[in-house]
Amino acid sequence: MYGLIDHQEEINRLMSRYGVKFGLYKNNKFNERLFPFDTIPRIIPKNEFEFLERGLKQRVYALNLFLNDIYSDKKIIRDKIIPEEFIYTSPGFSAPCDRLTPPKKIYNHISGIDLVQGKDMCWYVLEDNLRIPSGASYPMIARELCRRASPDTFQNNSVDDNRDYGELLRRVLDDVNTGGINVILTPGRYNSAFFEHSYLAERTKAVFAMPQDLFVEGNVLYYSEYSGERRRVGTVYRRISDEYIDPMTFYAGSLLGVPHIIDSYRAGNVAIVNAPGNGIADDKGVYYFVPQMIKYYLGEEPILNNAVTYLPIIKKDLDYITENLSSLVIKDVSESGGYGVIFGNTLSKNELSALKEAVKASPRRFIAQEVIDFKGLKVFENGRQVERKADLRAFVLYGDEITVWHSGLTRYSQDPESFVVNSSQGGGFKDTWVLSR
């Protein structure tokens, strides 16, 4: 791997040239920046990844059963595993999706599960991302450029090939296809992950479409060619949030959506990947209940641990939170991208008091967690190796079967004092090597 370190600047220059960037809106301006790549890979031994694989499959299967249940019979509410009001007050619960069943009852076709490894060597799930998880394209292109820069590195190390993600994703799109072409739907050039949208379209051989390229007629979705010819669409891998995907069903003012696409979906004439309504499973409060879901739906003990989590809506948890706020991390349940995460130990006495009152006033809005002292990884910075906090986003694909991609997005903080690794917060990324023996 040391051959790669010598090529770090070269690889990052190539990424910039190829448009491997991350876009951000700040102060009403769109800014693009390079997603910094560090050539020292995260290495996961074969037996350790096999353990993660079992746990991830179990978790994703249970979450899909939960989504199917919560938008149909709601047995998990009836049996008092999750409080009814907890579901209906979630910003992620979508009333228009109630009783709306996707093809093959698969909701979370692509799951991005964020994990960290503690210094105790145990793996902990931090978040479940089941709406529009992004990031698979970055380790894909990074590995491609690393292979070019230092082919000997991969000839001399037993590393699982990660070039199969495009094929795995294509199979998922095909598995739920209702008859027609596969389309990857982007909101456009100014989306933060536009590079990924175009790259995955190329890798899956799907049609890359803007919202204006699609239209619904007779509850059937069509793609309009430049020639005027129309082609029926069987699967849409949408990279547009629920609220903007269909102005006839969700936000009426959306200019990014496809009018009546939900009517086509409801009629069973198109599959939407991931399914609308998945935001309820992304709710950080619902995360608290995933271990119970696994026991309830599968009759199994969870393989992977949650971080120790407290819900302010439970009185004993609220009492604990208010007494220990300075040592906890507080998260807004509906935020993502590293936003809405507050470490109590960084706050002044007045700020702690204000946060305590906010939690008491809106207990459903927050969760609290014990801070996991997770492992740092070596990164190459200014000619030397330093340690930075890092997480792992594992990608799990669900079609005819559940498959865990033998790679993943390892993100690290560039700030030596920070536990927040998200790209939107200034983090960088690494390749993830899963050893084949």
Side-chain angles (χ1 to χ4, degrees), residues 140-307:
M140 289 171 71
I141 194 163
R143 181 78 63 87
E144 181 181 332
L145 295 177
C146 286
R147 282 180 177 276
R148 288 189 209 168
S150 181
D152 289 350
T153 297
F154 295 92
Q155 291 170 4
N156 298 330
N157 291 278
S158 301
V159 183
D160 282 347
D161 198 336
N162 77 347
R163 288 175 289 188
D164 62 344
Y165 186 84
E167 176 61 20
L168 293 173
L169 179 55
R170 186 193 62 77
R171 285 184 206 162
V172 167
L173 303 182
D174 287 346
D175 285 339
V176 294
N177 192 295
T178 59
I181 61 172
N182 294 328
V183 162
I184 291 183
L185 175 62
T186 179
R189 174 70 185 81
Y190 295 107
N191 183 268
S192 62
F194 182 77
F195 161 76
E196 174 158 288
H197 306 167
S198 60
Y199 188 74
L200 292 180
E202 176 188 335
R203 292 294 174 169
T204 58
K205 297 180 172 56
V207 171
F208 189 44
M210 304 283 186
Q212 61 268 26
D213 297 327
L214 302 178
F215 67 95
V216 174
E217 187 176 286
N219 280 348
V220 175
L221 181 67
Y222 294 97
Y223 170 76
S224 179
E225 299 273 12
Y226 288 116
S227 64
E229 180 187 353
R230 64 184 189 178
R231 300 168 69 189
R232 179 169 178 164
V233 178
T235 302
V236 174
Y237 178 18
R238 52 76 178 244
R239 301 300 297 254
I240 298 175
S241 299
D242 284 5
E243 59 266 37
Y244 299 113
I245 196 172
D246 186 344
M248 312 306 293
T249 301
F250 299 109
Y251 172 54
S254 173
L255 300 178
L256 301 176
V258 180
H260 299 291
I261 190 173
I262 296 298
D263 293 336
S264 180
Y265 177 62
R266 184 178 288 110
N269 291 331
V270 70
I272 298 179
V273 173
N274 279 340
N278 278 13
I280 182 64
D282 275 18
D283 185 314
K284 293 178 177 64
V286 171
Y287 158 95
Y288 174 92
F289 294 98
V290 175
Q292 289 97 308
M293 288 179 202
I294 292 170
K295 295 173 187 176
Y296 179 73
Y297 292 118
L298 306 181
E300 300 170 359
E301 289 296 318
I303 295 169
L304 296 173
N305 297 316
N306 270 15

Side-chain angles (χ1 to χ4, degrees), residues 49 87 149 250 416:
F49 193 80
I87 295 297
F250 299 109

Side-chain angles (χ1 to χ4, degrees), residues 11-23:
I11 291 169
N12 275 282
R13 279 197 302 271
L14 284 171
M15 286 193 179
S16 180
R17 186 186 303 168
Y18 293 162
V20 187
K21 297 180 181 179
F22 195 88

Side-chain angles (χ1 to χ4, degrees), residues 23-36:
L24 291 173
Y25 278 101
K26 194 170 184 178
N27 300 323
N28 294 319
K29 290 184 178 179
F30 180 74
N31 299 291
E32 277 191 320
R33 69 174 185 85
L34 181 70
F35 193 5

Side-chain angles (χ1 to χ4, degrees), residues 114-127 287 305-309 327-329 331 343 369-376 389-390 418-419:
D114 292 345
L115 307 106
V116 294
Q117 188 173 29
K119 288 184 176 176
D120 58 2
M121 301 306 292
C122 289
W123 287 90
Y124 298 88
V125 176
L126 285 188
E127 290 183 9
Y287 158 95
N305 297 316
N306 270 15
V308 177
T309 305
S327 64
L328 299 173
V329 56
K331 297 181 178 180
F343 287 84
Q369 293 178 328
E370 300 287 352
V371 177
I372 298 173
D373 189 9
F374 55 94
K375 280 180 61 178
K389 296 297 184 184
S418 178
F419 282 67

